[in-house]
Amino acid sequence: ITWDFIQTNNNISWNYAVLSSNPAITWNTIKNNVGRGWSWDWIVRNPSIHWKDIDHNPDKGPFHRFFAKSENTHRNMSWEEYHKYFKMRGFIPDDPKLWHIISRHKSVTWEIINKYPDYPWNAEGVSENSNITWDIIIENSSYQWNWSYISRNINITPEIIENNMDRNWDWFMLSQNKSIDLDFYEKHVDKDWNKLNLLRNCMSVSKERWINKKRLEIIKAFNIQRHWRNCSCNPKFKLAKKCLLQLHKS
């Protein structure tokens, strides 16, 4: 539904609160139509509205609470934008929910976390950050890792768990980990899995890992076949030349 369509059909009792999240509704639309019943709870879900647009409206703050309302707001952001915002505001908001979202953000790396130690990083968010690898966890054992959220980190593979069964794995959170597969579940079916989370788990990372493994196997098989074909049929190769001469003689 476009804004033109809404204006053309103004006889309809539109729900402007819900329309606030419609990607066809821009910040200019809302700004030029004040009093329509727009909802900030839904505006934060609108992918067409950027934080920079909202930042021009300080009366709608504190702005970091807008940040923390919806993770959709953060998807297309980068660490540079976060940092720029904090510097521009002159303060660092201390909101655990916001910092959980930032700490696990795809643009936040272990190097960035170490570069800004005074920021209120959220250990749960850091622990499940997809940039945090098993090597980083092992090499920085003094960090306040949260093993429940490490268990949900997609870099934690069945192999890592198998080789470190003495760790404090959270099987409820592992049930949500997209890196596990059904073979691993069946091998450890006696663990305290959450069946509902397992049913919701698309296991996309393990599927991608399986596809890549099979792709490599097929590529290797084709390479072997190609080399054998050259060796056995191409007269440039000694074996092929010998075979062809024998075949010709017979």
Side-chain angles (χ1 to χ4, degrees), residues 31-77:
K31 190 168 59 174
N32 295 330
N33 294 274
V34 176
R36 296 267 186 159
W38 307 107
S39 167
W40 281 95
D41 287 334
W42 289 94
I43 287 174
V44 299
R45 296 173 171 85
N46 190 329
S48 297
I49 297 178
H50 195 273
W51 70 269
K52 292 177 181 177
D53 299 325
I54 309 300
D55 197 49
H56 294 299
N57 297 269
D59 57 316
K60 300 301 181 184
F63 182 64
H64 72 270
R65 292 205 177 276
F66 171 86
F67 254 170
K69 279 184 180 179
S70 172
E71 193 156 1
N72 290 336
T73 310
H74 303 257
R75 285 182 180 172
N76 297 320
M77 292 187 65

Side-chain angles (χ1 to χ4, degrees), residues 94-109:
D94 187 13
D95 185 321
K97 184 178 178 181
L98 169 63
W99 278 96
H100 188 133
I101 294 172
I102 295 176
S103 297
R104 71 182 180 191
H105 196 273
K106 60 185 179 181
S107 69
V108 173
T109 64

Side-chain angles (χ1 to χ4, degrees), residues 169-202:
W169 301 112
D170 184 326
W171 295 87
F172 181 96
M173 297 290 261
L174 279 171
S175 304
Q176 303 174 33
N177 193 325
K178 295 177 182 179
S179 193
I180 66 166
D181 53 39
L182 289 176
D183 289 339
F184 181 74
Y185 164 72
E186 291 174 352
K187 189 174 181 180
H188 300 281
V189 70
D190 59 319
K191 298 296 185 181
D192 193 20
W193 298 97
N194 180 278
K195 301 299 175 60
L196 183 59
N197 283 341
L198 281 171
L199 289 172
R200 291 172 174 168
N201 190 344
C202 62

Side-chain angles (χ1 to χ4, degrees), residues 65-186:
R65 292 205 177 276
F66 171 86
F67 254 170
K69 279 184 180 179
S70 172
E71 193 156 1
N72 290 336
T73 310
H74 303 257
R75 285 182 180 172
N76 297 320
M77 292 187 65
S78 65
W79 168 250
E80 287 72 21
E81 287 181 298
Y82 287 123
H83 192 51
K84 181 180 178 181
Y85 170 74
F86 298 148
K87 289 179 67 177
M88 181 176 63
R89 284 287 177 173
F91 78 100
I92 302 170
D94 187 13
D95 185 321
K97 184 178 178 181
L98 169 63
W99 278 96
H100 188 133
I101 294 172
I102 295 176
S103 297
R104 71 182 180 191
H105 196 273
K106 60 185 179 181
S107 69
V108 173
T109 64
W110 183 244
E111 289 72 26
I112 288 172
I113 294 168
N114 283 318
K115 186 176 180 179
Y116 301 99
D118 295 334
Y119 282 15
W121 300 105
N122 180 281
E124 295 174 354
V126 172
S127 297
E128 68 172 322
N129 188 315
S130 60
N131 292 313
I132 300 298
T133 64
W134 179 247
D135 287 341
I136 290 174
I137 294 170
I138 294 302
E139 291 168 5
N140 297 273
S141 57
S142 61
Y143 185 76
Q144 51 186 6
W145 300 109
N146 184 300
W147 281 91
S148 289
Y149 283 85
I150 286 176
S151 299
R152 197 163 70 176
N153 189 318
I154 60 173
N155 291 316
I156 301 301
T157 64
E159 291 73 23
I160 289 173
I161 301 169
E162 292 279 9
N163 294 329
N164 297 275
M165 290 298 287
D166 57 325
R167 299 287 182 173
N168 193 26
W169 301 112
D170 184 326
W171 295 87
F172 181 96
M173 297 290 261
L174 279 171
S175 304
Q176 303 174 33
N177 193 325
K178 295 177 182 179
S179 193
I180 66 166
D181 53 39
L182 289 176
D183 289 339
F184 181 74
Y185 164 72
E186 291 174 352

